[in-house]
Amino acid sequence: EVFRCVHAPRVAVRAAPNGRAEIVAALAAGQTVVVERERKDVKWRRLAEPERWASRVSKAPAFVAVHGDAVGHPRLGALLERLGADDEEDVLETWPCAEAVARAEACGVAWRRT
């Protein structure tokens, strides 16, 4: 799934799906992010492994809140919005980290956690 950060100036990426968890990175407003398919907790999304690697997020796993409710600030409203299927395909084709992931795989760089 692909989401776009809609909260300015940024949204925290955390080490756990909790508003008090360690901040390990941040998403800038307008930035797109590839996340794993929906989990049980729909208030949080887990960054997909290629996204974490390409974005140099050293902590795994890494989570981002979808709405301010998840971090105890409902007045913030939506923090991320899911892109539609057509938009998602376009983003995945032009994902800034796609080339880095493809090159790493072609060179045999072990970027996936086993």
Side-chain angles (χ1 to χ4, degrees):
E1 292 180 311
V2 179
F3 281 76
R4 176 175 288 123
C5 180
V6 294
H7 179 75
R10 69 189 71 73
V11 172
V13 176
R14 297 183 177 272
N18 179 310
R20 297 188 187 274
E22 175 187 4
I23 296 173
V24 296
L27 302 177
Q31 183 177 347
T32 56
V33 62
V34 179
V35 300
E36 293 180 2
R37 295 280 174 206
E38 187 174 316
R39 302 168 348 105
K40 292 178 185 176
D41 183 358
V42 297
K43 294 181 179 182
W44 293 86
R45 290 295 188 273
R46 184 176 177 160
L47 269 60
E49 188 175 2
E51 182 74 44
R52 287 193 320 267
W53 177 80
S55 300
R56 297 183 182 164
V57 176
S58 60
K59 295 282 183 167
F63 298 86
V64 62
V66 176
H67 193 278
D69 287 341
V71 292
H73 297 287
R75 289 188 294 188
L76 292 176
L79 304 176
L80 302 179
E81 70 177 5
R82 186 178 186 281
L83 298 183
D86 291 340
D87 291 333
E88 189 171 304
E89 282 185 29
D90 291 343
V91 169
L92 289 173
E93 287 177 9
T94 60
W95 181 51
C97 301
E99 185 175 347
V101 169
R103 284 185 182 191
E105 289 177 343
C107 294
V109 174
W111 63 271
R112 291 182 189 264
R113 296 188 194 281
T114 56

